[in-house]
Every structure is written in C-alpha cells, then in structure tokens.
Amino acid sequence: MTGVPNSKQTAANPAPERRRALLATAAEVFAAQGYDATTVRRIADEAGLLAGSLYYHFDSKESMLDEILSGFLDELWAGYDTVLAAGLAPRETLEALVTESFREIDRHRFAVAIYQKESHHLADRPRFAYLAESRRRFERAWLGTLERGVAQRAFRADLDARLTYRFLRDTVWVAASWYRPGGAHAPEEIARQYLSMVLDGIAVRE
Amino acid sequence: MTGVPNSKQTAANPAPERRRALLATAAEVFAAQGYDATTVRRIADEAGLLAGSLYYHFDSKESMLDEILSGFLDELWAGYDTVLAAGLAPRETLEALVTESFREIDRHRFAVAIYQKESHHLADRPRFAYLAESRRRFERAWLGTLERGVAQRAFRADLDARLTYRFLRDTVWVAASWYRPGGAHAPEEIARQYLSMVLDGIAVRE
Amino acid sequence: MTGVPNSKQTAANPAPERRRALLATAAEVFAAQGYDATTVRRIADEAGLLAGSLYYHFDSKESMLDEILSGFLDELWAGYDTVLAAGLAPRETLEALVTESFREIDRHRFAVAIYQKESHHLADRPRFAYLAESRRRFERAWLGTLERGVAQRAFRADLDARLTYRFLRDTVWVAASWYRPGGAHAPEEIARQYLSMVLDGIAVRE
Amino acid sequence: MTGVPNSKQTAANPAPERRRALLATAAEVFAAQGYDATTVRRIADEAGLLAGSLYYHFDSKESMLDEILSGFLDELWAGYDTVLAAGLAPRETLEALVTESFREIDRHRFAVAIYQKESHHLADRPRFAYLAESRRRFERAWLGTLERGVAQRAFRADLDARLTYRFLRDTVWVAASWYRPGGAHAPEEIARQYLSMVLDGIAVRE
DNA sequence: TATGAATGAGAGTTCATTCAT
DNA sequence: GATGAATGAACTCTCATTCAT
C-alpha cells in the first residue's frame, strides 16, 4: 500500500455515501479544469450545495485531492501487488500489469487524469510524499520486469531500458485523458491492442 | 560620419531579446508549476524584476501563455509542413514526423510541457481557438499517414487506427515531461529508438 | 407550534436590507469623491466590513454604480410618466415636472449627484447605454413641453427653446450638489421658488 | 548682453509654447474623462510623446491640474475685478458678470468643466485651498450684487437670496458642459438670452 | 447538515513617477 | 527634450476558509 495513514474521519464516518459522491464530483471537476483552476464553489455548485457546506465533509480542498489520489493509488497497488506476487514470467507479468492498468483507468478515470497533471508538482509537499514513493515503486516494478525480460531474452536487448520504460509508462497512463468508459473498447480490449502494438510493433513483418 | 549602421541594439529590432528571455523564464515556471498555480510575481522574481514591470512587456499573464504556445506551434508546423510536402512514403513520413517532433521537444521543451497540461481546458476560450485547430490538423496529418500506410501494407491492418494514433501521439509528446536537453540522448537518437520500438515492437522475434 | 409565520427576517425577502444599506453608503462616497477616485476599500470601511466582503453582495464596483443609477432613474421615470400621462397644460406640466424633480433630488440626492458628474463619460459603455436613452427621453419630455407652451402662448417665443431647455434642466439638477434633506426648505418649497424665478424672472416688474 | 532672444533658460520658462499646448491637451482629456480616470499615458498619447516625457515639463499630474485651474481662475478674476471696480448699478453689474462669465467659458471651456466636476472634492487639499477662497469671493460678489439689487428695488424681494444666487451660479457655469465654441451662439448672445430669461422669466406676461 | 455572511490573504493589473541613456 | 524600462504602491477582485444560526 502507499503507506498513507488515510484515517481522515476524526469521529466515525458520518455518511460515507455522501462523501464518496462529493469526491466523485470533485474529481471530475479537478480533472476537467485542473486542481488550481478549480474553485471550491464550482465543486459545490456541481454537487448542489454551498461552498461553505463542503467543509462539513472535508477539512480542505487539498484534503479532497489527497483522498482522491490516495484512494486511487491504494486500489492500484492492490491490483499490482497481486500481479507481482503471482510469479509470472516477464512477458506475462507485463501483460498483466498493462491489463490491470487499463482496468484502473476504467474505474478511476478522473483520479488518473488528475494524477497525470498534478502529481509532478505535488510530490514536493510532505502531505503528498506518497506520490513520489509510489512513483519509485512503480518504476521498480515495471523497469524490473523489463530487465528480467531482457535477461531472459523475452524482450529486445538493443533498446535503452529506461527509455522503453518511460514510453510504456506514459502511453498507458495518458490513455486516461481520452478514455471514455462505456465507449467502443473495453479496458481489456484496449490492453490487448496496446500490448500487440508494443510487443510486436506496428510495422508489417517482412 | 562613418558608414557604421546605427544599431542601437545588436539585433535589428528594438529589444526582443528581453521579451524572449522573459518568455523563456515564464515558460519554465509555467511548465514546472502549472499555469494557474504560477503567480506573476513568481515569474518576476525568477526574472529579477517586479511583478508590475512585466506589464511593460506583456499585456497580461494570459498573453504570455499565448505567445509561448503559439510560438511553439508556429515552429512545429513549419517543420511538419516541410515533411508533409516532401511526398515521402508512409513509413518514411512517419519517421520524419517523429524525428521532427523530438527536435521540437528539444527546442521547446517547456512549451510542449505546458501544451500537454493546459491545452485541453484552454481550447474552449476564443483566444486559444488555434489550439483546437492545431489539434485537428495534427490528427489529420498523423492519422492520414497511418491510414495510407495500412493501405499500402506498410503498417499492420489489424490494429484500430485511432487507437494507434493516440498511442503514437501521446508517447511522443509526453517525452517532454522527462526530456532534458544536453542529456544522454540527442533528439535524433531518441527518435530512432522510439521508432524502432514502435515499428518493430519490444518483444524478441521468434 | 403556534400559527406564527416563520419570518426569519422582519421583511419578506431574504435580506435586501443589507444590499440597500450598502448601496446607500456607496452612493454617498461616490457622490463625495467621484466614482473613479473612490476605492472599494473606502466604501467597505464606511460600511464596517472588509473590501472583499462587498463582493458577496455585488459583482463589482461598477455594478454598484449601475444599481444606484438605474434605481434612481427607474423611480424618476415612474414619477415623470405619471405627470406626462396626466394631460396637463404646458405650464402646469412644467410645474409638475419641476416639483417631481426636486422630490427625486430629495430622495436620491447622492444618485443625482453621481449622475450629474459621471453620466456623460459613462454613456459610452454598453452597460450604461440606458443613461443616453434616458437623456433622450428627458429631452423629449421637457423640450416638448416648452415647445407646446410656446405654441399655446404660455411661454415666450423670443427665446431659443434649446437654450431655455438646457438652462432649466441644469439648474434643477445641479441643486443636488448643495441640497441637504431636512434643511430649511422642503423640496416643494424649493420647487415653488424656483418656478417663480424661472417663470416670472428675478427683476422687479415696472 | 547680446540681443539673442532664445537663451535656454533652465530655470525660467523652458518653452512656454509647448507647456501651453500640453496643458491644453491635458485639460481636454481631464474634462472629457474626469481627472482621476485620466491616465498620464493618455495625455501623452494625445500629445504625441511618451508618458515619462511629460515629467520634463511638469512636476506631476496634479501640478498640471493645478496650473489649468489656477490659470483659469486668474483670468476670471481679472475680468470680474474690472467689472466690480466699475461701480455700476446692481442690474448692470449682474449683466456684466454674466457676460464676462460666458466669455470665460468660451475661452476656458475645459478648465471650467474640470472646475465644475472636481473643485468640490479638491478644495480640501492645501494645494488647492485657493479654490475655496475663490468660491468665497465669488459668493460675496454675486450675492452682494443681488442683495444690493433687492435693496434698490431692482430685484424681487420675495425670493430667497441664497437660493437665487445658487440658481444663477449653477446655470451659468454648467453651460460649460454643453457649450461648443464656434457654435450657433457667441458668448455675448448666450449671455443676452440667459439674462433675458433670468431677469424677466420665461412665462408670457399678462 | 446546510446556509449566509464574513474574513483575510493574495492574485492580476494599473499607473504615477523616476532615471540612465 | 524625449525614450525605454523599471519601480512600488495601490487597486479591484477572487477564493479557501470560518462560524453563528
């Protein structure tokens, strides 16, 4: 897990449904306009209450962001950890990670979009230190898999591993910016096509 | 009187040096913190003058952003148009577009990063309508090349063309977020590796 | 529970009291210092809150001005229209218009003073187009009355009608700059003396 | 000394023509937009130089205003003093003051308009104390003339003298807001009609 | 739980003014 | 005499946040 002590509820949990709905609204607006450009009033409007009333549910605008991002990362790592613990071969591990990633994009589309845009400049702040930690774990998992694959002659050895890693990472996650759930392609189908392209290339083999 | 031309500045124009330097500073800060999260005072600090003084050179914070983005796109399209006018085969066109793209990333690293983060929600505003227009031209150029390639059996026919387009587009441009000029790889080398991966895949051929 | 109606406020509406009080304060300061020379902080100080808090009640400084001026003109025209619809003879119409005018000055002293000082250069802006329109209706009403009076031999024919109109108009309204409500003269008394002077002249008749 | 006329007086008057022209420009803009709403840049634009360059000619924006107003008042009082020293009867004095006033409006149209709009709130500042002093002298001259006229049975005794004074004063000076030099009426003609109206009334005598 | 009204810090921007060239 | 660039104070306005009701 991310190691984040996300015990936000000072008391019990007043009304988890409402919280979740409000967070979903906030995430959508954050994703569409950017965190800084989003006003708390805008979120409240969208949710049908007044700006001040949000503070009954959340400590601050930042804590909403925090909850959105850490909630997403917690689920992501639950999925990844299962994959990584399965002891698959490199190519199968990669396939499983990619598929799992597209599933997370399907379920946390807005959180992923926010993560893409904001995580870089948030990582400095102590509160969001877990973003940097997550990024490191992420790199270890993917880059490690790639390197094992090269060693086992599953992946090409003539490519710079870090470059490859970045290309993989970015293409997968950037998909959140255009992915529409319920659209033409299910996440598993997108994963399949993506893997086919990435593993075998788009050129016709001679 | 000697024949020396009366050059107040070293260059011809009044003083575009300063403008350019200020825009470069602004672009760097915008890229690092996001446009909305960047204060005009921060830019001024970084540039070594007072916030108000920026307004001697620029109409507004937004006009700085505008100039950064449109300057980048102008150069980008100059490069692209040359490529597209050359009448190359699909695969060569794709290679040239990719190489040109990495060259632009090399020269307009911050502008590209800003474009990635902000263009989506800026495109609504009339002032930035050219972003949407550019995006359409971009899609026509890349997607068209891909489709021609499929027709001429240079590219695989079993992949969804739009999906492929998005993967290509995003991987190329996201590189701006980690690219460091003067680093280990020159833009042409990155382009070469990228093309090798994308065209032939990362898996070892059996 | 008794049958007492649930009146949160003494009045019916949510709280237009505050708005009205704030506008009255703003009008007084605008009248004393001029619109441009008045800072929003000054108004807030005078009203006993912070500058930013005014924006909970009003969109902008300009919208306060707008509301002050249009509120005044609405009432003015309600009064004028009643007079004009009464079908009086020219002299009686003139007397009624003058009396009504001094009554409006009595009730909207600051708004009138602002109107005098600012309307001329405001009329250009689209938002204040109604000022120019009001000025035209005003001229039609007064000048028309004068001309009817000349035709019916109630008013002298040897005076330039437009010149006379301007003198009448200006003297009446400039009164707002020195008028103090609750002073020595009630509006009707001022109107009476004014009419006596304007109709019969200040010279002793031989 | 030689007869060379244009010695560069650093201390004395550097170039009185330019000063006068710049002041005329400033006065026109002040009159049109109001003193506070007028930027120094706007004046400079209108005069064809840069804002900073005005400070070679004038100490400050305020000193331009000062010079405009005091220049006007100096000439006004030169005229008034001549009239008052002539020892005319009350009615003739009033006629001469009115005629002189319209002449000043003809020559100092913009200064008069500025005076009308700004003198009230300027009078507080020490630098503009002469405005209040001028206002007092003005009242003494006009009100005194009226009172002498009442005593000598030239003017009606049944009118409140202060009220009459205010009406006279305001109508005369407000004319500056619509007066256009070179228009249909010369200042003397306006004065004649104004006096006819004010002395004999606009009603037809029975 | 939610509202209405306010706070207070800080944002982008304007502008009179200065001064080396 | 004029310019170009900068200053610094002040301005209008925004917004996250608070709190009595």
Side-chain angles (χ1 to χ4, degrees):
Chain A
M1 291 294 144
T2 61
V4 176
N6 66 343
S7 56
K8 217 126 277 157
Q9 316 89 319
T10 359
N13 38 0
E17 305 297 324
R18 193 92 173 96
R19 273 184 86 81
R20 221 172 302 154
L22 290 172
L23 279 181
T25 303
E28 182 162 0
V29 186
F30 286 156
Q33 318 204 324
Y35 173 72
D36 286 287
T38 298
T39 71
V40 140
R41 189 135 107 220
R42 180 69 204 282
I43 299 171
D45 281 357
E46 216 79 22
L49 38 64
L50 289 184
S53 308
L54 280 174
Y55 287 80
Y56 178 82
H57 301 277
F58 303 98
D59 285 345
S60 65
K61 182 185 170 188
E62 197 181 72
S63 81
M64 291 187 231
L65 177 63
D66 192 353
E67 212 161 318
I68 289 165
L69 290 177
S70 61
F72 153 62
L73 286 179
D74 284 351
E75 287 207 29
L76 176 68
W77 281 106
Y80 273 19
D81 285 340
T82 303
V83 168
L84 296 170
L88 303 172
R91 178 166 173 143
E92 282 69 32
T93 299
L94 185 69
E95 288 173 352
L97 286 175
V98 165
T99 305
E100 180 61 27
S101 299
F102 281 110
R103 282 207 196 96
E104 295 300 333
I105 289 173
D106 187 46
R107 294 202 295 169
H108 294 282
R109 186 184 148 217
F110 297 129
V112 174
I114 296 165
Y115 180 88
Q116 289 290 109
K117 261 194 249 179
E118 316 287 352
S119 73
H120 191 256
H121 75 266
L122 286 175
D124 295 337
R125 309 190 209 174
R127 173 172 208 167
F128 292 97
Y130 64 87
L131 293 175
E133 169 57 17
S134 180
R135 170 169 287 253
R136 276 190 295 273
R137 288 181 64 195
F138 194 98
E139 175 166 346
R140 244 176 283 137
W142 284 68
L143 190 49
T145 302
L146 283 176
E147 284 167 347
R148 275 196 303 128
V150 169
Q152 299 177 20
R153 301 184 191 273
F155 302 139
R156 289 167 57 187
D158 63 325
L159 297 171
D160 182 291
R162 293 195 63 83
L163 229 52
T164 309
Y165 159 63
R166 281 175 181 142
F167 287 134
L168 292 183
R169 174 194 68 189
D170 295 338
T171 2
V172 169
W173 292 109
V174 153
S177 69
W178 51 260
Y179 181 74
R180 293 291 169 279
H185 305 284
E188 287 80 6
E189 167 60 14
I190 295 186
R192 211 188 48 73
Q193 286 225 31
Y194 173 76
L195 283 165
S196 171
M197 184 190 91
V198 151
L199 291 168
D200 298 326
I202 66 170
V204 166
R205 307 218 161 177
E206 304 139 26
Chain B
M1 292 263 298
T2 74
V4 175
N6 62 341
S7 57
K8 280 182 149 186
Q9 242 66 27
T10 320
N13 289 20
E17 313 291 327
R18 193 86 175 103
R19 274 183 83 84
R20 221 174 300 157
L22 291 172
L23 279 181
T25 303
E28 183 162 0
V29 186
F30 286 156
Q33 318 206 321
Y35 173 72
D36 287 288
T38 297
T39 71
V40 127
R41 269 173 182 90
R42 180 70 204 283
I43 299 172
D45 279 358
E46 217 77 23
L49 40 63
L50 289 180
S53 307
L54 282 174
Y55 289 80
Y56 180 79
H57 301 278
F58 305 98
D59 284 345
S60 64
K61 182 186 170 188
E62 196 181 77
S63 82
M64 291 188 230
L65 178 63
D66 192 353
E67 211 161 316
I68 290 165
L69 290 177
S70 60
F72 152 60
L73 286 178
D74 285 351
E75 286 206 30
L76 176 69
W77 281 106
Y80 274 19
D81 286 339
T82 304
V83 168
L84 296 169
L88 303 173
R91 178 168 173 140
E92 281 70 32
T93 299
L94 186 69
E95 288 173 352
L97 286 175
V98 166
T99 305
E100 181 61 28
S101 300
F102 281 109
R103 281 206 197 97
E104 295 301 333
I105 290 172
D106 187 46
R107 294 203 295 168
H108 294 283
R109 186 183 146 215
F110 297 127
V112 175
I114 297 165
Y115 181 89
Q116 288 290 109
K117 260 194 257 187
E118 317 286 354
S119 75
H120 191 256
H121 75 267
L122 286 176
D124 293 338
R125 310 190 208 174
R127 174 172 206 168
F128 292 96
Y130 64 87
L131 292 175
E133 169 57 17
S134 180
R135 170 166 288 251
R136 278 189 294 273
R137 285 181 67 192
F138 195 97
E139 175 166 346
R140 243 177 284 139
W142 283 69
L143 191 49
T145 302
L146 284 176
E147 286 167 346
R148 275 197 302 131
V150 169
Q152 299 178 21
R153 303 182 190 275
F155 302 139
R156 290 167 53 186
D158 63 326
L159 296 171
D160 182 291
R162 291 195 66 83
L163 230 52
T164 309
Y165 159 64
R166 281 176 181 142
F167 287 132
L168 292 184
R169 174 193 69 186
D170 294 338
T171 2
V172 168
W173 291 109
V174 154
S177 68
W178 52 260
Y179 181 74
R180 293 291 170 279
H185 306 284
E188 287 80 6
E189 168 60 16
I190 295 187
R192 211 188 48 74
Q193 287 224 31
Y194 172 78
L195 283 164
S196 171
M197 183 190 91
V198 150
L199 290 168
D200 299 325
I202 66 171
V204 166
R205 307 218 163 177
E206 306 137 24
Chain C
M1 292 269 292
T2 74
V4 174
N6 62 342
S7 57
K8 280 180 147 186
Q9 242 65 29
T10 319
N13 288 21
E17 314 291 328
R18 193 89 176 102
R19 273 183 84 84
R20 222 173 300 156
L22 291 172
L23 279 181
T25 303
E28 183 163 359
V29 187
F30 286 157
Q33 318 205 322
Y35 173 72
D36 287 288
T38 298
T39 71
V40 129
R41 250 187 195 86
R42 181 69 204 284
I43 299 172
D45 280 357
E46 215 78 23
L49 39 63
L50 289 179
S53 307
L54 281 175
Y55 289 81
Y56 179 79
H57 301 278
F58 304 99
D59 285 345
S60 64
K61 182 186 170 187
E62 196 180 77
S63 82
M64 292 188 230
L65 178 62
D66 192 353
E67 212 161 316
I68 289 166
L69 290 177
S70 60
F72 152 61
L73 286 179
D74 285 350
E75 287 207 30
L76 176 68
W77 280 106
Y80 273 20
D81 285 339
T82 303
V83 168
L84 295 169
L88 304 172
R91 179 170 173 140
E92 281 69 34
T93 300
L94 186 69
E95 287 172 353
L97 287 175
V98 165
T99 305
E100 182 60 28
S101 300
F102 281 110
R103 282 206 196 98
E104 295 301 333
I105 290 173
D106 187 45
R107 295 202 295 168
H108 294 283
R109 185 182 147 215
F110 297 127
V112 174
I114 297 165
Y115 180 88
Q116 290 289 109
K117 260 194 255 187
E118 317 286 352
S119 75
H120 191 257
H121 76 266
L122 287 175
D124 293 337
R125 309 191 208 173
R127 174 171 206 168
F128 291 97
Y130 64 86
L131 292 176
E133 169 58 17
S134 180
R135 171 167 289 252
R136 277 189 294 273
R137 285 180 67 194
F138 194 97
E139 175 165 346
R140 242 176 286 138
W142 283 69
L143 191 50
T145 302
L146 285 176
E147 286 167 346
R148 274 198 302 131
V150 169
Q152 300 179 19
R153 304 186 189 273
F155 303 139
R156 289 167 55 186
D158 62 324
L159 297 171
D160 182 292
R162 292 194 66 83
L163 228 54
T164 309
Y165 160 64
R166 281 174 180 143
F167 285 132
L168 291 184
R169 175 193 68 187
D170 295 338
T171 2
V172 168
W173 292 108
V174 154
S177 68
W178 51 260
Y179 181 74
R180 293 291 170 279
H185 306 283
E188 287 80 7
E189 167 61 15
I190 295 186
R192 211 188 47 74
Q193 287 224 30
Y194 172 78
L195 283 165
S196 171
M197 184 189 90
V198 151
L199 291 168
D200 298 326
I202 66 171
V204 166
R205 306 212 163 181
E206 304 139 25
Chain D
M1 289 297 280
T2 74
V4 175
N6 62 346
S7 54
K8 270 192 180 176
Q9 318 90 318
T10 358
N13 42 359
E17 305 296 325
R18 194 92 173 96
R19 272 184 86 83
R20 221 173 302 155
L22 291 172
L23 279 180
T25 302
E28 182 161 1
V29 186
F30 285 156
Q33 318 204 325
Y35 173 72
D36 286 286
T38 298
T39 70
V40 139
R41 189 132 106 223
R42 180 70 204 283
I43 299 171
D45 281 357
E46 216 79 21
L49 38 66
L50 289 183
S53 308
L54 280 175
Y55 288 79
Y56 178 83
H57 301 278
F58 304 98
D59 285 345
S60 65
K61 183 185 170 188
E62 198 180 72
S63 80
M64 291 187 230
L65 177 63
D66 192 352
E67 212 161 317
I68 290 165
L69 290 176
S70 59
F72 152 61
L73 286 179
D74 285 351
E75 287 208 28
L76 176 68
W77 281 106
Y80 273 18
D81 285 342
T82 304
V83 168
L84 295 170
L88 303 173
R91 178 169 174 140
E92 281 69 32
T93 299
L94 186 70
E95 288 174 351
L97 286 176
V98 165
T99 305
E100 180 61 27
S101 299
F102 281 110
R103 281 206 198 97
E104 294 301 332
I105 289 173
D106 187 46
R107 294 202 293 170
H108 294 282
R109 184 182 148 217
F110 297 128
V112 174
I114 297 165
Y115 180 88
Q116 289 289 108
K117 261 194 251 182
E118 316 286 353
S119 74
H120 190 255
H121 74 268
L122 286 175
D124 295 337
R125 309 190 208 174
R127 174 172 207 167
F128 291 97
Y130 64 86
L131 293 175
E133 168 57 15
S134 179
R135 172 168 285 251
R136 277 190 293 274
R137 285 181 66 194
F138 194 97
E139 176 167 346
R140 243 177 284 139
W142 284 68
L143 190 51
T145 302
L146 283 176
E147 285 167 346
R148 274 198 302 129
V150 170
Q152 299 178 21
R153 304 185 188 270
F155 303 140
R156 287 166 59 186
D158 63 325
L159 297 171
D160 182 291
R162 290 196 65 84
L163 229 53
T164 308
Y165 159 63
R166 281 175 182 143
F167 287 134
L168 292 184
R169 174 194 67 188
D170 295 337
T171 3
V172 168
W173 292 109
V174 153
S177 69
W178 52 260
Y179 182 74
R180 293 292 170 278
H185 306 283
E188 288 79 6
E189 168 60 15
I190 295 185
R192 211 189 47 74
Q193 286 225 31
Y194 172 77
L195 283 164
S196 170
M197 184 190 89
V198 151
L199 290 167
D200 298 326
I202 68 171
V204 166
R205 306 221 160 177
E206 304 140 25

